[in-house]
């Protein structure tokens, strides 16, 4: 049995952010993750929006964590070296009757102390965004809205936590949690591989957070997976809008948005469909049609011929419609970060700080000497100037070999992604760290070369290389093996 002072369950953005914050303290910490990599669940498939904070109901956990996380994002992006941009936000009204909805958001934002909010008329909106519909008569303008890469943000948190002593156990699915001791202050955590023990547990398990919570508490939670489908457009459409453009929110969320991404693509979505399947990330014809219909209301000229892929993610919608953060009342030492739906990505940094501070107050351990707050991200050759590229290539010729043509990802970058802390072990792991396979051809050209590099660097046979572990191998054997004489 492995024993730690604190165990975090879930290696999404909330779990990895909490791991990094807790690694400032004198504790032994482990992260358990059921999947083969960090950022493989809820955190990998979202809008990448840093919300300004006008949507959440004042006084809720969502409002407080949204505002605090928004304020933290720029400094964090510098410390942890992940891409973030303040691109500002617009919420559109298409009819005079919808202006009342804008005013409601404006007033809510003011109560949440969102800076710089204003309401613009239709002409001003089209001045800022010429591609929006002629029917737009007004918009709420929020200058503190931004965009971030959710993969790189989560990976940055994880790498920095690892650098500061946190142990990560991937492919360890928690199957049972048992309270031990008279006070129930020690937890035995059984996974499908081995057993762990700790007096402090942080439950950051996304759509499974209620399952884990209900193992130790009589005060039951219920999380409904809410599927959101998206369309991703080629970089040739990436400058069609510069702001993140919303429509007025509905009962199931903020509605279909259109936004640039930090990597230069255009993104439209999501839908909002409550489902039972906690693994239900399939896309549907009905969902994608809904995105097209609603997105074209905002931007009529949306170029559907430049869609390069569709995808879906799940949001952890808790029945109380708010985040659940803190120590479970009837399970001492068990801390929830549950129901972290939108604006969870924005709020994750603040949730992590709050939990770390709360745990330190309840169970003091003191500050760790030598904590390293900085993390240096990967070299992306396509982002560098010509002299910088030449310098890198001269020091390492592998950076001269382009593997992914669409995103200009080199062999040197792929090797770096494998050799880094918590390095990539799958094709998807390479994709999230380097963007190899995320371009217009969607990995049609680069996949065989990526398989070869993974096999070489990890000492595997090519047929052992998988897309995302489990039963996801792309190759079944070598041609002719069945016909040896």
């Amino acid at each position: 049995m492995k024993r730690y002072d604190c165990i975090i369950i879930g290696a999404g953005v909330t779990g990895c952010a909490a791991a990094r914050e807790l690694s400032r303290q004198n504790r032994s910490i482990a992260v358990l993750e059921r999947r083969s990599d960090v950022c493989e669940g809820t955190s990998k498939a979202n809008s990448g929006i840093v919300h300004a904070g006008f949507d959440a109901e004042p006084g809720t956990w969502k409002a407080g964590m949204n505002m605090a996380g928004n304020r933290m994002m720029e400094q964090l992006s510098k410390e942890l070296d992940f891409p973030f941009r303040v691109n500002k936000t617009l919420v559109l009204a298409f009819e005079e009757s919808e202006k009342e909805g804008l005013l409601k958001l404006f007033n809510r934002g003011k109560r949440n102390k969102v800076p710089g909010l204003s309401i613009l008329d239709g002409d001003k909106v089209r001045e800022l965004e010429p591609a929006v519909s002629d029917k737009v008569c007004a918009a709420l303008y929020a200058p503190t809205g931004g965009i971030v890469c959710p993969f790189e943000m989560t990976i940055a948190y994880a790498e920095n936590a690892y650098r500061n002593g946190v142990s990560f156990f991937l492919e360890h699915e928690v199957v049972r949690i048992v309270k031990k001791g008279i006070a129930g202050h020690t937890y035995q955590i059984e996974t499908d591989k081995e057993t762990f023990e700790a007096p402090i547990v942080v439950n950051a398990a996304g759509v499974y957070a209620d399952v884990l919570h209900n193992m130790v508490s009589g005060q039951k939670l219920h999380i409904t997976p809410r599927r959101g489908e998206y369309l991703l457009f080629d970089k040739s459409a990436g400058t069609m809008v510069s702001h993140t453009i919303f429509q007025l929110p509905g009962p199931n969320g903020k509605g279909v948005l259109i936004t640039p991404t930090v990597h230069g693509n255009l993104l439209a979505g999501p839908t909002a469909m409550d489902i039972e399947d906690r693994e239900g990330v399939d896309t549907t014809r009905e969902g994608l049609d809904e995105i097209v219909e609603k997105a074209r209301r905002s931007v009529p000229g949306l170029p559907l011929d430049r869609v390069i892929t569709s995808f879906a993610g799940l949001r952890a919608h808790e029945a109380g419609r708010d985040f659940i953060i803190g120590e479970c009342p009837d399970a001492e030492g068990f801390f929830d970060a549950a129901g972290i739906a939108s604006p969870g990505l924005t709020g994750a940094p603040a949730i992590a700080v709050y939990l770390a501070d709360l745990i330190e107050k309840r169970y003091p351990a003191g500050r760790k000497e030598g904590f390293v707050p900085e993390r240096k991200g990967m070299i992306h050759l396509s982002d560098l100037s010509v002299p910088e590229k030449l310098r890198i290539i001269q020091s390492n010729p592998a950076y001269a070999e382009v593997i992914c043509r669409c995103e200009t990802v080199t062999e040197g970058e792929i090797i770096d992604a494998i050799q880094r802390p918590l390095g990539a072990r799958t094709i998807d792991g390479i994709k999230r760290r380097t963007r190899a396979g995320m371009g217009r051809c969607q990995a049609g050209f680069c996949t065989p070369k990526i398989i070869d590099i993974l096999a070489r660097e990890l000492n595997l046979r090519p047929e052992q290389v998988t897309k995302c572990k489990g039963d996801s191998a792309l190759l079944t054997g070598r041609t002719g093996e069945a016909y040896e004489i």
Side-chain angles (χ1 to χ4, degrees):
M1 182 183 297
K2 290 185 168 67
R3 291 178 173 85
Y4 289 86
D5 296 326
C6 177
I7 288 178
I8 299 163
I9 305 174
V13 66
T14 305
C16 290
R20 190 245 188 176
E21 289 302 321
L22 284 163
S23 71
R24 299 175 187 269
Q25 302 171 5
N26 278 319
R27 304 182 196 275
S28 59
I29 302 167
V31 177
L32 308 182
E33 168 56 47
R34 61 191 290 268
R35 297 181 183 270
S36 64
D37 199 357
V38 303
C39 198
E40 272 202 7
T42 298
S43 299
K44 75 175 179 181
N46 60 66
S47 308
I49 304 301
V50 177
H51 292 281
F54 52 78
D55 185 69
E57 189 66 35
T60 61
W61 282 111
K62 285 185 176 182
M65 294 298 144
N66 186 341
M67 292 303 302
N70 180 287
R71 290 191 295 266
M72 296 168 66
M73 200 64 68
E74 184 170 3
Q75 179 59 33
L76 275 171
S77 71
K78 293 175 181 177
E79 282 185 355
L80 297 178
D81 197 17
F82 61 81
F84 161 67
R85 188 167 88 242
V86 178
N87 70 317
K88 307 173 185 178
T89 298
L90 292 168
V91 183
L92 306 182
F94 300 90
E95 301 172 4
E96 290 295 320
S97 61
E98 293 182 332
K99 288 184 178 180
E100 183 178 345
L102 294 185
L103 185 60
K104 182 178 179 180
L105 289 180
F106 175 85
N107 290 332
R108 186 180 295 173
K110 285 294 186 181
R111 290 167 62 195
N112 288 337
K113 299 183 179 179
V114 179
L117 290 177
S118 61
I119 294 181
L120 310 179
D121 64 27
D123 290 338
K124 181 61 178 176
V125 174
R126 279 179 287 277
E127 183 181 321
L128 294 174
E129 292 288 1
V132 302
S133 170
D134 291 339
K135 294 181 180 179
V136 171
C137 59
L140 176 68
Y141 171 73
T144 56
I147 49 178
V148 70
C149 176
F151 316 132
E152 294 185 58
M153 178 178 168
T154 305
I155 290 167
Y157 266 127
E159 288 186 357
N160 188 242
Y162 183 89
R163 167 70 176 79
N164 284 292
V166 176
S167 299
F168 282 75
F169 293 89
L170 304 174
E171 297 184 84
H172 278 63
E173 181 173 1
V174 174
V175 295
R176 189 166 178 253
I177 305 175
V178 179
K179 290 190 287 186
K180 297 180 65 178
I182 296 174
H185 185 37
T186 298
Y187 294 90
Q188 184 172 297
I189 304 171
E190 299 175 11
T191 75
D192 57 352
K193 289 185 171 60
E194 55 191 318
T195 300
F196 298 78
E197 190 173 273
I200 299 169
V201 176
V202 176
N203 172 21
V207 295
Y208 290 93
D210 59 338
V211 176
L212 301 186
H213 169 97
N214 294 342
M215 290 179 180
V216 302
S217 175
Q219 300 181 15
K220 303 305 183 184
L221 298 182
H222 179 69
I223 287 175
T224 300
R226 180 166 288 172
R227 183 173 60 205
E229 300 173 55
Y230 292 88
L231 290 173
L232 184 69
F233 294 75
D234 186 60
K235 289 182 177 180
S236 62
T239 58
M240 192 163 196
V241 301
S242 59
H243 297 69
T244 297
I245 297 176
F246 290 95
Q247 297 170 10
L248 283 171
N252 287 336
K254 299 178 179 69
V256 170
L257 62 84
I258 301 173
T259 185
T261 72
V262 290
H263 296 294
N265 297 86
L266 189 71
L267 184 68
T271 56
M273 174 65 71
D274 289 347
I275 61 175
E276 294 297 323
D277 184 3
R278 296 177 194 249
E279 301 295 321
V281 292
D282 49 316
T283 57
T284 65
R285 175 62 182 267
E286 294 77 16
L288 301 182
D289 286 346
E290 179 186 344
I291 294 171
V292 171
E293 178 185 356
K294 292 182 176 179
R296 279 187 158 171
R297 189 180 184 214
S298 297
V299 179
L302 203 63
L304 296 180
D305 59 336
R306 300 185 208 176
V307 171
I308 57 175
T309 193
S310 62
F311 62 93
L314 298 177
R315 287 160 277 176
H317 176 68
E318 204 280 322
R321 303 180 66 86
D322 198 6
F323 298 161
I324 296 172
I325 306 171
E327 190 171 21
C328 186
D330 61 345
E332 184 181 4
F334 191 94
F335 293 81
D336 282 312
I340 311 299
S342 180
L345 185 69
T346 309
I351 294 169
V353 170
Y354 176 82
L355 284 172
D357 289 347
L358 182 61
I359 290 169
E360 177 63 16
K361 288 175 183 175
R362 290 281 286 125
Y363 309 104
R367 306 293 279 183
K368 180 194 297 179
E369 291 185 10
F371 174 81
V372 179
E374 294 85 14
R375 169 261 189 188
K376 182 62 180 173
M378 291 186 54
I379 294 171
H380 294 289
L381 209 71
S382 61
D383 296 337
L384 303 181
S385 66
V386 172
E388 289 172 322
K389 290 177 181 177
L390 291 174
R391 179 179 58 81
I392 295 294
I393 291 169
Q394 286 170 357
S395 66
N396 185 348
Y399 282 90
E401 181 68 26
V402 175
I403 301 300
C404 172
R405 294 178 179 177
C406 297
E407 294 291 325
T408 319
V409 178
T410 66
E411 183 176 7
E413 292 163 72
I414 294 172
I415 294 171
D416 183 19
I418 297 168
Q419 294 180 348
R420 293 179 71 82
L422 299 174
R425 294 293 180 268
T426 63
I427 296 169
D428 280 356
I430 295 293
K431 179 170 69 173
R432 282 190 288 272
R433 288 164 176 81
T434 68
R435 292 188 57 78
M438 286 192 178
R440 185 165 184 82
C441 87
Q442 288 291 288
F445 174 79
C446 61
T447 295
K449 293 186 177 183
I450 292 171
I451 290 174
D452 284 342
I453 296 169
L454 278 164
R456 183 189 71 209
E457 296 297 317
L458 299 177
N459 195 28
L460 301 172
R461 300 190 308 275
E463 56 268 34
Q464 292 177 303
V465 175
T466 60
K467 183 178 185 295
C468 54
K469 291 288 188 178
D471 188 22
S472 65
L474 274 67
L475 305 175
T476 58
R478 296 179 180 273
T479 304
E481 281 187 349
Y483 306 100
E484 291 181 358
I485 298 175

